[in-house]
Amino acid sequence: MEYKPEAIAESHNTGLVPTVCQLCSGNCGLHLHLDGGKIVKVTGIKEHPVNKGRLCPKALAVPELVYSGERLRHPLKRDGSSWKEITWDEALDTVASRLETVRKEHGPRSLAVTFGMSFLTQGIATIDLIRRFTDVYGTPNVFSVDSMCYRSRLIGYILTGGKYYVADPENSRCILLWGNNPEASCPPVAWRIAEARKRGAALLVIDPRQTPLAKKADIHLQPRPGTDGALALGIIHTIIQEELFDRDFVSRWASGLEELKTHAASYSPEKTEAVTGVPAEKVRELARAFASKKPACIVQGTNTLDQQPDGVQNSRSVAILQALTGNLDIPGGFISPPRLLMRSLRLPELLVEPPLGIEKFPLFYEVMGRNFGECQAMLLPDTILSGKPYPVKAMVVTASNPLVTWPDSTRVRQALEKLDFLVVMDMFMTETAKLAHIVLPAASFAERLNIVDMFRISPGLPYVMLRQPAVKITDCRSDMDFWLELAHRMGYREHFPWESLEEVFDYMLEPAELSVESLKKHPAGLYYGKTRTRDYEKKGFHTPSGKIELYSDTLLGMGHEPLPLHREDPRQAPGAAGGGNFPLLLTTGARNLAYLHSQFHAVPRLRKLAPEAVAEVNSETAARFGLADGEECLLETVKGSIKVRIKAGGGIIPGVVQMSHGWPEANVNLLTSLEPADPVTGNPALKVLPCRLRKAA
Ligand SMILES: Nc1nc2c(c(=O)[nH]1)N[C@H]1C(S)=C(S)[C@@H](COP(=O)(O)OP(=O)(O)OC[C@H]3O[C@@H](n4cnc5c(=O)[nH]c(N)nc54)[C@H](O)[C@@H]3O)O[C@H]1N2
Ligand SMILES: Nc1nc2c(c(=O)[nH]1)N[C@H]1C(S)=C(S)[C@@H](COP(=O)(O)OP(=O)(O)OC[C@H]3O[C@@H](n4cnc5c(=O)[nH]c(N)nc54)[C@H](O)[C@@H]3O)O[C@H]1N2
Ligand code: SF4
Ligand SMILES: [Mo]
């Protein structure tokens, strides 16, 4: 759609600046309204295909966020127990010389670089530029939140269907929300579901909590957290036993049906009920409903099924269900939008040493020829603390707050405190930044140029748009500016010949026959391609067999289960409930619409929407522990204890506690563990932890 806004801000003083929101993974198109050089208002771009003019409350808070009095405005250097303001020149020279020293004294691998979810929403260009820097420096030790976010899903889908798929609820007749509450975590998906519902689509939900969407659903199953693997097998069992699968599609395009049949035969809904707590009849009902309407899609939580000991296998089950019902690679089922053909900035050939942990979790690093170029972050804190297998002495944290968002905050703190040199680039003095030697003030998304490709997260569109800078705040810089300038100061100009970010973007965009200038002519963005479906008819699936691999020889060959399996942890078995030291199950991290992880808690407009951290429990469970709604209690696991207010009622199943992460004053990650839980990828088990509740003294 051609878009001609009447009043694009000519001088960036007054008028509208089009940009892409970065306050969650939704990628909504925004107009920042400028008056006298200040952002005074935010509206949604009507012509933008992701949000079609709509917004969520976070975007309305952009002015408060950008002009917050709490913003870091200058680089800071630790001076004993206080901070000294320094210039960018001094900051860059200090970082360059300290990183050079670390490299000389301990080797290049002793530098770790980590980035957060905000970096992922900033897009490929930023991540690629950092990775080019680490390639030239010589460290393979790059980490991101993907270690605990959706990497296991990615790998599960690729192992099964050869590609990364996204659900297409917009065109679906049956939507299964599995551990996902998009009204909080991705409103653009919720808007699409609402529209599909109006057209008569069925809605099925699998969630231990009764979310508002679950309340309105046709079927709602409430499994015990962490038992999704068993539930999936019960559903697969029913679909196969009752011959509800798409026989033509499966016989032509899938391998391993016989093995799956035999395997699933022993997972009757009755057996499933014993593990998950979901009545057998409801398992059958959901299986029949899902298999009977086409197209159908499973919109799985972005990390819910990943943050379990069965991380990869859970997503294999999801992909298998799409395949069994003939819903893979069709509109309204799973689709695979193309990504923008951008030139990669990576120079991996310069790396001579293997990344940390590759021998433990090889598939986390590379699967079927796809190299992710990142290490499993759960291994980093112990490596820093033990110095084994080699010392990691310096770290740059950029757009992340690992002290609050990574599991086991106590251990993460110990590790960060042990570093010789820690640099944190952020917009605010976060808990992590407080531990740094150098803190760098980052520009917010409203202050910088970037390219955003929207293929990646559901709704998954082959659409690209510039994130345009609207304002400048004192000394704040874009992250890419920092890394480009640091590369120059370290003498890497040969590999970083660019003088400006525009030049970097133009270099990357060349294969797509685009440039910053040409993208400016499409201020609301443009489609760069079409999502093709039924691609397999021409080329087969991108797996070793060319078919969908219900049975995975790749997994078997690497010593893993070739078929999805649920591994019961004895501490979490139903028999354990009511007894033992930790009789309840804790699931963490259900999203709150007002916040993004540890962000925005200090924005008054947003804080009003969710004023404090709460532990959600069923009224019966609260009563069992002598606790009333609104009362303060101690929530405890083997790792520690935090004080938090109880929110009783609201339809969560008995025996379960849900608490969101990101609250420094009630940090649930003091209770979680870095221990890699999934045998394939090492993702942690943040959705399933034995816990208990006590009255606060
Ligand atoms: N507002 C906001 N939006 C965000 C984020 C944010 O912090 N705030 N974070 C972004 C990021 S990085 C991510 S990864 C995504 C996360 O997105 P999702 O992982 O999809 O998170 P939610 O949408 O909150 O859905 C999680 C649901 O799973 C349920 N659940 C908990 N444990 C289990 C379980 O064991 N099994 C099942 N079946 N369900 C369970 C919870 O009750 C909750 O309703 O959100 C993104 N969007
Ligand atoms: N217990 C538990 N823990 C979890 C999860 C869970 O479900 N349960 N979910 C996990 C998941 S899925 C994820 S993705 C992670 C997220 O983990 P993080 O990405 O570490 O989370 P944030 O709190 O959003 O931290 C981002 C930081 O970047 C800063 N920032 C924002 N924009 C920019 C920018 O453009 N440049 C720079 N330099 N800084 C910027 C923000 O101020 C903020 O401090 O949390 C994980 N932690
Ligand atoms: S849904 Fe996400 S991307 Fe859209 S306006 Fe809200 S925070 Fe921004
Ligand atoms: Mo995430």
Side-chain angles (χ1 to χ4, degrees):
M1 188 183 309
E2 195 55 32
Y3 170 63
K4 295 191 189 79
E6 331 73 64
I8 292 291
E10 284 273 320
S11 57
H12 281 189
N13 187 36
T14 299
L16 308 179
V17 181
T19 192
V20 187
C21 185
Q22 192 192 291
L23 304 184
C24 86
S25 48
N27 287 326
C28 294
L30 306 183
H31 271 142
L32 304 178
H33 295 238
L34 297 191
D35 191 4
K38 275 196 93 173
I39 304 169
V40 290
K41 190 173 140 185
V42 179
T43 51
I45 298 180
K46 286 201 182 62
E47 295 77 1
H48 198 279
V50 167
N51 57 319
K52 300 171 188 157
R54 279 170 289 206
L55 287 182
C56 86
K58 288 192 286 308
L60 298 177
V62 166
E64 278 170 83
L65 195 67
V66 170
Y67 301 114
S68 162
E70 307 282 306
R71 283 283 298 270
L72 292 164
R73 283 162 193 270
H74 307 281
L76 300 171
K77 186 177 188 167
R78 171 174 302 288
D79 186 10
S81 57
S82 60
W83 295 100
K84 192 174 137 221
E85 232 172 76
I86 56 172
T87 61
W88 266 104
D89 253 344
E90 188 182 343
L92 283 156
D93 282 342
T94 310
V95 176
S97 83
R98 291 296 301 269
L99 295 192
E100 202 41 56
T101 307
V102 164
R103 202 177 114 95
K104 278 205 189 103
E105 287 179 1
H106 305 283
R109 290 189 300 184
S110 56
L111 169 66
V113 172
T114 186
F115 45 84
M117 194 257 165
S118 299
F119 249 58
L120 303 175
T121 57
Q122 264 190 39
I124 306 291
T126 315
I127 294 173
D128 249 25
L129 189 78
I130 299 180
R131 286 187 177 158
R132 188 178 183 92
F133 178 94
T134 50
D135 289 343
V136 176
Y137 181 94
T139 182
N141 293 329
V142 177
F143 303 82
S144 89
V145 289
D146 267 15
S147 296
M148 50 192 149
C149 189
Y150 76 138
R151 180 66 56 79
S152 291
R153 159 162 61 143
L154 216 81
I155 292 171
Y157 286 2
I158 294 174
L159 282 167
T160 312
K163 277 204 241 180
Y164 173 54
Y165 293 95
V166 296
D168 181 22
E170 189 158 10
N171 298 304
S172 199
R173 292 185 60 230
C174 179
I175 300 161
L176 168 51
L177 279 179
W178 197 328
N180 182 219
N181 179 26
E183 285 182 342
S185 64
C186 198
V189 170
W191 299 328
R192 279 162 176 74
I193 291 173
E195 280 162 20
R197 290 281 275 166
K198 274 192 212 142
R199 291 191 294 268
L203 180 65
L204 320 174
V205 174
I206 301 177
D207 195 315
R209 292 190 309 153
Q210 191 183 44
T211 60
L213 273 168
K215 235 181 194 164
K216 291 185 239 158
D218 299 294
I219 302 174
H220 177 203
L221 307 189
Q222 293 183 276
R224 294 151 43 75
T227 61
D228 297 277
L231 181 56
L233 284 163
I235 298 170
I236 292 172
H237 170 102
T238 305
I239 288 177
I240 294 181
Q241 291 284 309
E242 299 188 4
E243 304 251 347
L244 302 173
F245 61 97
D246 184 335
R247 190 171 282 285
D248 281 355
F249 178 80
V250 173
S251 60
R252 204 155 156 218
W253 295 110
S255 66
L257 179 64
E258 285 315 309
E259 289 90 338
L260 180 66
K261 246 185 188 169
T262 313
H263 177 68
S266 62
Y267 285 88
S268 66
E270 283 69 21
K271 182 170 166 184
T272 301
E273 174 174 345
V275 181
T276 64
V278 177
E281 221 21 66
K282 298 264 298 187
V283 177
R284 289 197 180 90
E285 196 192 339
L286 182 127
R288 288 170 193 149
F290 183 71
S292 65
K293 265 195 171 184
K294 218 168 165 177
C297 67
I298 299 172
V299 186
Q300 83 176 74
T302 310
N303 62 40
T304 310
L305 303 185
D306 304 61
Q307 293 175 350
Q308 301 185 13
D310 301 321
V312 169
Q313 298 290 10
N314 285 343
S315 289
R316 289 244 308 126
S317 290
V318 167
I320 286 172
L321 279 166
Q322 290 292 138
L324 283 178
T325 52
N327 281 305
L328 207 59
D329 223 359
I330 63 164
F334 267 18
I335 54 171
S336 183
R339 59 194 290 176
L340 184 64
L341 197 63
M342 283 212 280
R343 183 178 278 135
S344 166
L345 297 179
R346 293 257 357 240
L347 298 167
E349 62 279 11
L350 298 182
L351 291 176
V352 286
E353 293 173 309
L356 194 66
I358 189 167
E359 53 308 310
K360 245 184 172 156
F361 303 113
L363 286 168
F364 181 85
Y365 296 79
E366 189 168 331
V367 59
M368 293 182 183
R370 261 186 81 160
N371 185 310
F372 297 104
E374 268 175 47
C375 309
Q376 175 43 268
M378 298 308 106
L379 303 174
L380 181 62
D382 274 354
T383 303
I384 296 172
L385 286 166
S386 68
K388 291 195 177 107
Y390 48 81
V392 171
K393 294 286 185 184
M395 184 160 164
V396 185
V397 175
T398 185
S400 187
N401 190 7
L403 194 52
V404 180
T405 57
W406 287 19
D408 199 345
S409 306
T410 309
R411 200 133 179 88
V412 172
R413 175 183 290 277
Q414 287 165 353
L416 296 180
E417 283 177 345
K418 187 161 185 259
L419 291 164
D420 285 356
F421 188 52
L422 174 64
V423 180
V424 174
M425 184 156 185
D426 204 295
M427 282 138 51
F428 296 95
M429 185 55 87
T430 60
E431 297 302 300
T432 308
K434 285 178 194 163
L435 301 181
H437 300 94
I438 297 278
V439 176
L440 302 171
S444 76
F445 79 92
E447 294 147 50
R448 68 174 136 65
L449 187 70
N450 220 324
I451 305 162
V452 187
D453 179 1
M454 300 169 202
F455 82 100
R456 189 168 162 142
I457 311 259
S458 194
L461 301 175
Y463 195 79
V464 61
M465 180 173 158
L466 279 186
R467 199 172 257 143
Q468 305 227 31
V471 290
K472 166 128 185 70
I473 303 291
T474 56
D475 251 0
C476 300
R477 284 203 184 178
S478 103
D479 298 273
M480 286 180 76
D481 254 338
F482 160 66
W483 288 95
L484 182 61
E485 183 64 31
L486 182 66
H488 289 169
R489 301 241 175 168
M490 293 196 65
Y492 301 162
R493 205 170 266 276
E494 178 198 344
H495 294 297
F496 292 82
W498 311 286
E499 292 306 325
S500 70
L501 296 186
E502 281 82 344
E503 288 178 29
V504 178
F505 292 134
D506 285 350
Y507 175 79
M508 295 186 82
L509 286 168
E510 204 183 358
E513 297 180 354
L514 290 170
S515 65
V516 171
E517 270 320 297
S518 73
L519 285 176
K520 277 190 182 157
K521 295 195 183 100
H522 303 273
L526 79 157
Y527 281 99
Y528 55 77
K530 274 210 169 91
T531 299
R532 287 199 313 257
T533 45
R534 297 197 170 85
D535 235 12
Y536 55 84
E537 286 177 353
K538 274 177 259 135
K539 302 183 229 154
F541 287 86
H542 300 263
T543 54
S545 63
K547 292 191 167 185
I548 297 162
E549 303 197 336
L550 305 174
Y551 181 97
S552 172
D553 281 316
T554 306
L555 281 174
L556 184 66
M558 300 186 92
H560 301 295
E561 296 294 335
L563 288 159
L565 200 73
H566 172 64
R567 290 168 310 131
E568 186 75 26
D569 180 331
R571 291 167 308 182
Q572 292 144 13
N581 280 338
F582 297 100
L584 302 174
L585 274 186
L586 172 64
T587 173
T588 69
R591 278 13 180 193
N592 191 311
L593 179 62
Y595 305 125
L596 185 65
H597 310 289
S598 68
Q599 300 187 59
F600 321 139
H601 294 74
V603 176
R605 169 201 288 267
L606 297 175
R607 185 72 181 228
K608 264 191 232 142
L609 302 177
E612 68 178 336
V614 290
E616 292 174 57
V617 291
N618 185 285
S619 308
E620 184 190 296
T621 306
R624 200 166 109 210
F625 292 87
L627 295 163
D629 182 34
E631 193 176 352
E632 275 205 325
C633 72
L634 297 176
L635 174 60
E636 301 178 322
T637 66
V638 279
K639 284 284 173 188
S641 174
I642 59 172
K643 203 184 246 187
V644 60
R645 209 171 287 286
I646 283 286
K647 187 177 162 202
I652 188 169
I653 48 171
V656 172
V657 182
Q658 193 299 122
M659 182 165 169
S660 302
H661 65 297
W663 297 86
E665 64 274 37
N667 176 10
V668 78
N669 277 326
L670 284 164
L671 310 183
T672 54
S673 167
L674 283 159
E675 200 180 318
D678 181 90
V680 181
T681 60
N683 66 247
L686 306 177
K687 294 287 185 268
V688 48
L689 294 139
C691 74
R692 68 180 169 218
L693 288 171
R694 279 200 296 144
K695 262 186 185 303

